[in-house]
């Protein structure tokens, strides 16, 4: 299952240029609002040097990276949740994503119009966040209307508990607070999942700046505004230049690294976005290796061995016996599985083992 992120922002902030870059696709990036009329979905491989190293050691028939799926939707405007612009039809396209990447314009360019007439990152952020909250408020109010009578008339225990949660959600959203700000029990967290609230998702702010400013993003006043706002929400901010990302997407790996080094940039915007998404979603990677295939798999931090087996196939979780396990660091140093065994680094782990990032696993299960 690929990690999924929805890309949102006002028109002409660089969303489609960024999407072109990270997916190497030809999404229209015209200089007018609503150029993106249908949601665009692109899947990219997640770069992982550990998989490259395993492939060097095992010479597999196939090498498979884990993936990251981006959904780019039309630029939102004031009133989108009520049908303004192209309306909230596009908000539904990101309800099932894992997180939201909010692209904010942090550059001046007289040739690229701004839908609000001027560059103002904080105002732009507030417009988008308000539309997301209004869309969630409509969802919550619709649910309250359906369960309120049952809860109050029949005194149904489950309905009363749900109604209490929904009313807390409604209060927060009406006060301009995102759903993620509401404290919830584990049961309530499980309950609210079914409604795919937009403001419950982690938000990553992407400050899109000029080619000149990306060399020293901290000096960009617009970036500082975005960063400070993100910190108040406990969200992350990533500085990118969408134009440079698009240029990088046309280069091979060696050319890309040389270009980044020439610019004095440590890593591409795509790599930064992926790292940020893994961090905010508490995700890790385990690995499988052999002559047939070397592969990376995404899992949630804290998952036990049977659950990780289920990431590969649901039947593996049901019939799990044990996992043969060693760390990537050990195979990287010792280079052969027989050397891993001789060094006592191969472990047999049972159902209660909590899988760690970088574990190389071989699952045993009942046939």
């Amino acid at each position: 299952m690929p990690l999924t992120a929805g890309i949102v922002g006002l028109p002409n902030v660089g969303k489609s240029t960024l999407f072109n870059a990270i997916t190497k696709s030809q999404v229209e990036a015209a200089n007018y609002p609503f150029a993106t009329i249908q949601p665009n979905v692109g899947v990219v491989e997640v770069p992982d040097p550990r998989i490259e190293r395993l492939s060097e050691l095992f010479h597999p028939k196939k090498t498979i990276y884990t993936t990251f799926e981006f959904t780019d939707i039309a630029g939102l405007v004031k009133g989108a949740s009520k049908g303004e612009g192209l309306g909230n039809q596009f908000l539904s396209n990101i309800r099932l994503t894992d997180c939201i990447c909010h692209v904010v314009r942090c550059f001046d360019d007289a040739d690229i119009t701004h839908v609000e007439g001027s560059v103002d990152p904080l105002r732009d952020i507030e417009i988008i966040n308000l539309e997301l909250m209004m869309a969630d408020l409509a969802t919550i109010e619709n649910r309250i209307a359906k369960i309120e009578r049952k809860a109050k008339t029949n005194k149904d225990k489950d309905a009363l508990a749900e109604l209490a949660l929904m009313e807390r959600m409604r209060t927060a959203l009406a006060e301009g607070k995102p759903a993620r700000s509401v404290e919830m029990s584990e049961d309530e967290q499980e309950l609210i999942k079914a409604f795919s609230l937009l403001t419950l998702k982690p938000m990553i702010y992407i400050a899109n700046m000029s080619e000149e400013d990306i060399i020293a993003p901290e000096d960009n006043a617009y970036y500082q505004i975005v960063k400070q706002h993100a910190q108040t929400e406990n969200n992350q901010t990533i500085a990118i230049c969408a134009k440079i990302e698009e240029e990088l997407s046309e280069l091979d790996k060696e050319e890309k690294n040389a270009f980044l080094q020439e610019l004095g940039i440590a890593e591409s915007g795509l790599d930064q976005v992926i790292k940020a998404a893994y961090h905010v979603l508490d995700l890790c990677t385990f690995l499988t290796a052999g002559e047939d295939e070397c592969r990376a798999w995404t899992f949630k931090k804290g998952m036990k061995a049977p659950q990780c087996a289920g990431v590969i196939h649901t039947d593996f979780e049901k019939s799990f016996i044990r996992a043969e396990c060693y760390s990537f660091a050990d195979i990287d140093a010792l280079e052969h599985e027989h050397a891993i065994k001789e060094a006592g680094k191969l472990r047999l782990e049972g159902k209660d083992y909590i899988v760690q990032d970088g574990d190389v696993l071989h699952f045993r299960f009942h046939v």
Side-chain angles (χ1 to χ4, degrees), residues 76 79-82 87-92 94-95 128-142 173 195-199:
L76 300 174
S81 60
K82 298 179 181 178
N88 62 2
Q89 58 181 304
F90 294 103
L91 294 176
S92 64
I94 57 172
R95 285 202 178 277
I128 296 298
N129 286 349
L130 178 60
E131 294 308 320
L132 299 180
M133 284 186 280
M134 293 300 290
D136 282 350
L137 183 58
T139 298
I140 293 298
E141 288 180 334
N142 286 339
L173 290 164
F195 301 94
S196 301
L197 298 180
L198 296 166
T199 62

Side-chain angles (χ1 to χ4, degrees), residues 8 39 54 56 64 66 69 119 127 138 166 177-178 180 223 244 271 289 291 323 333 336 339-340 347 351:
V8 303
L54 289 177
E56 289 176 6
I64 303 175
T66 189
E69 181 179 289
V119 178
I127 288 173
M166 293 299 164
K177 299 174 184 175
R180 73 180 78 90
Y223 171 73
I244 288 179
D271 291 349
E291 293 179 357
H336 297 283
I340 292 281
R347 312 187 307 274
K351 293 182 178 180

Side-chain angles (χ1 to χ4, degrees), residues 22-294:
I22 58 184
T23 63
K24 295 185 180 179
S25 61
Q26 297 302 311
V27 180
E28 186 178 9
N31 179 27
Y32 55 87
F34 317 125
T36 313
I37 298 176
Q38 293 295 329
N40 297 285
V41 177
V43 178
V44 297
E45 288 183 339
V46 175
D48 192 331
R50 296 173 298 187
I51 282 294
E52 295 172 16
R53 176 62 171 154
L54 289 177
S55 294
E56 289 176 6
L57 298 175
F58 286 85
H59 307 289
K61 296 173 185 175
K62 291 189 295 183
T63 299
I64 303 175
Y65 294 80
T66 189
T67 55
F68 195 121
E69 181 179 289
F70 289 91
T71 298
D72 176 39
I73 70 168
L76 300 174
V77 293
K78 282 183 183 177
S81 60
K82 298 179 181 178
E84 292 297 321
L86 288 175
N88 62 2
Q89 58 181 304
F90 294 103
L91 294 176
S92 64
N93 295 318
I94 57 172
R95 285 202 178 277
L96 298 181
T97 59
D98 298 306
C99 64
I100 294 176
C101 294
H102 183 170
V103 183
V104 185
R105 180 167 167 172
C106 292
F107 64 89
D108 292 306
D109 190 331
D111 294 328
I112 300 178
T113 59
H114 192 294
V115 71
E116 291 294 318
S118 63
V119 178
D120 184 339
L122 189 58
R123 177 204 58 208
D124 296 353
I125 287 171
E126 289 173 348
I127 288 173
I128 296 298
N129 286 349
L130 178 60
E131 294 308 320
L132 299 180
M133 284 186 280
M134 293 300 290
D136 282 350
L137 183 58
T139 298
I140 293 298
E141 288 180 334
N142 286 339
R143 184 58 184 171
I144 288 175
K146 289 181 180 178
I147 65 168
E148 194 167 25
R149 179 175 293 181
K150 179 182 178 182
K152 293 183 176 179
T153 304
N154 300 338
K155 303 298 181 184
D156 182 270
K157 183 180 177 182
D158 292 337
L160 284 167
E162 182 179 347
L163 179 62
L165 173 60
M166 293 299 164
E167 287 178 338
R168 279 162 40 218
M169 281 288 175
R170 179 168 62 182
T171 298
L173 290 164
E175 292 175 351
K177 299 174 184 175
R180 73 180 78 90
S181 69
V182 177
E183 291 188 14
M184 291 179 282
S185 66
E186 287 186 12
D187 289 342
E188 288 175 330
Q189 289 174 21
E190 197 61 35
L191 173 63
I192 206 68
K193 279 182 185 177
F195 301 94
S196 301
L197 298 180
L198 296 166
T199 62
L200 199 58
K201 301 178 188 301
M203 176 84 77
I204 299 169
Y205 288 102
I206 299 178
N208 183 24
M209 56 187 67
S210 69
E211 295 169 81
E212 294 77 24
D213 286 351
I214 194 62
I215 307 303
E218 295 291 338
D219 295 337
N220 182 294
Y222 294 141
Y223 171 73
Q224 289 297 334
I225 292 170
V226 177
K227 185 177 178 180
Q228 288 169 18
H229 177 80
Q231 287 173 344
T232 66
E233 300 177 341
N234 292 318
N235 287 324
Q236 287 189 257
T237 307
I238 295 171
I240 69 153
C241 172
K243 284 185 179 180
I244 288 179
E245 293 298 319
E246 197 164 28
E247 290 176 30
L248 286 171
S249 71
E250 301 301 322
L251 305 177
D252 63 30
K253 185 178 178 180
E254 288 185 4
E255 291 173 328
K256 175 182 171 182
N257 290 337
F259 187 28
L260 287 171
Q261 190 171 4
E262 184 181 333
L263 293 171
I265 299 173
E267 57 184 346
S268 72
L270 171 59
D271 291 349
Q272 293 180 63
V273 169
I274 291 170
K275 283 184 179 179
Y278 270 65
H279 175 73
V280 300
L281 294 168
D282 276 339
L283 298 177
C284 299
T285 303
F286 74 83
L287 312 161
T288 53
E291 293 179 357
D292 289 333
E293 177 183 282
C294 286

Side-chain angles (χ1 to χ4, degrees), residues 352-367:
D352 292 329
Y353 175 65
I354 298 174
V355 175
Q356 302 299 305
D357 183 63
D359 276 351
V360 183
L361 300 171
H362 181 71
F363 295 107
R364 297 293 184 184
F365 52 92
H366 297 289
V367 178

